[in-house]
Amino acid sequence: MTKYRLHYFNARGYAEVTRDMFHMAGVHFEDVRYELEDWIKEGSTTKETMPFGQMPVLEVDGEKIPQSAAIARFVANELGFAGKSPVEKAWADAFADLYKDFLNEMKPWAMIAFGYPGQSGDRGELKKTVLDPARKKYFKLLSKTLEKSKSGFLLDSGICYADLMFFETTTSLIGFESGFLGTDFPAVTEYFKRIGEHPKLKPYLETRPVQPK
């Protein structure tokens, strides 16, 4: 049996989508969590053991795979969350790329809101000029896709790793901006509710550690 070890900080962040899929598939993995203080402390050699000197990293029978998107895509293909046909797999990847576009567009706001050192700017102003326009743009695109979906998710065959990407980030954003989800995109609101209540995901969501801020 394949042995999986997922290395990441003691937070959701870039590893949570992969954790979601392991739990949904009922596949055992070792959830190796690191405290940031231990990662950056003088004399620590942990970074040197990671292929690119960063995390998350997924070990598959001892082989270390870096980069969150590569890890999520690999696990999705292994566990059945990447689409059922070549065309669906391409669409899953396209939605994952769309998700990365969303992250890039909201980044100036996120750098301030999440407290990254050395950043300057007014959070409230950046919400209006950066976060809100990005939200509107991508929620429109999600709504358009969901209107045509046969499953209620991005792919007609059912939930995929890209659904989880949008869900996890939106869940985190609601923690920073309580009104982020809003009421102007009802299809998107129902979509995220559907993901959160997915019978294979809900038990994990109800028991996972509280997200540190």
Side-chain angles (χ1 to χ4, degrees):
M1 187 170 72
T2 304
K3 182 178 180 180
Y4 299 104
R5 300 182 79 226
L6 181 62
H7 300 264
Y8 194 59
F9 300 108
N10 187 25
R12 296 176 193 170
Y14 290 113
E16 197 66 6
V17 167
T18 296
R19 292 183 184 127
D20 288 345
M21 289 188 286
F22 277 126
H23 284 283
M24 291 177 74
V27 172
H28 175 75
F29 73 106
E30 188 176 348
D31 191 4
V32 185
R33 294 175 179 245
Y34 300 79
E35 297 300 332
L36 179 60
E37 293 79 7
D38 295 330
W39 175 260
I40 63 176
K41 72 180 179 181
E42 186 176 353
S44 174
T45 59
T46 307
K47 284 186 181 181
E48 298 173 11
T49 69
M50 304 300 170
F52 293 164
Q54 59 190 32
M55 296 189 291
V57 165
L58 178 67
E59 273 190 78
V60 183
D61 290 334
E63 178 73 23
K64 291 180 177 178
I65 302 171
Q67 297 288 40
S68 59
I71 292 167
R73 188 174 293 113
F74 171 82
V75 172
N77 278 286
E78 289 290 293
L79 304 185
F81 298 106
K84 302 302 183 185
S85 69
V87 170
E88 273 206 337
K89 288 179 185 293
W91 269 108
D93 291 345
F95 284 120
D97 285 342
L98 182 71
Y99 163 77
K100 288 190 289 182
D101 290 343
F102 170 61
L103 291 188
N104 286 333
E105 290 196 22
M106 64 169 247
K107 186 175 181 179
W109 170 87
M111 298 294 281
I112 301 298
F114 299 167
Y116 283 86
Q119 303 299 313
S120 61
D122 182 85
R123 174 173 170 173
E125 184 63 23
L126 287 168
K127 178 184 180 297
K128 291 187 291 184
T129 61
V130 173
L131 181 63
D132 289 347
R135 170 194 176 275
K136 184 175 182 180
K137 176 180 177 179
Y138 291 97
F139 278 15
K140 277 186 175 181
L141 291 171
L142 291 177
S143 294
K144 184 178 179 180
T145 298
L146 294 168
E147 286 173 3
K148 300 182 295 183
S149 174
K150 298 176 182 177
S151 68
F153 302 105
L154 295 177
L155 303 183
D156 285 343
S157 63
I159 196 167
C160 72
Y161 78 102
D163 291 299
L164 297 171
M165 287 176 165
F166 279 107
F167 171 77
E168 287 295 353
T169 293
T170 299
T171 299
S172 294
L173 288 174
I174 290 171
F176 285 88
E177 294 287 349
S178 59
F180 176 77
L181 190 55
T183 59
D184 49 339
F185 291 94
V188 173
T189 300
E190 287 301 313
Y191 164 64
F192 287 127
K193 181 179 179 181
R194 193 177 304 119
I195 295 172
E197 294 181 349
H198 193 288
K200 292 184 178 180
L201 180 61
K202 188 176 181 180
Y204 171 60
L205 298 182
E206 293 177 339
T207 59
R208 67 183 179 179
V210 175
Q211 170 72 67
K213 289 188 179 181

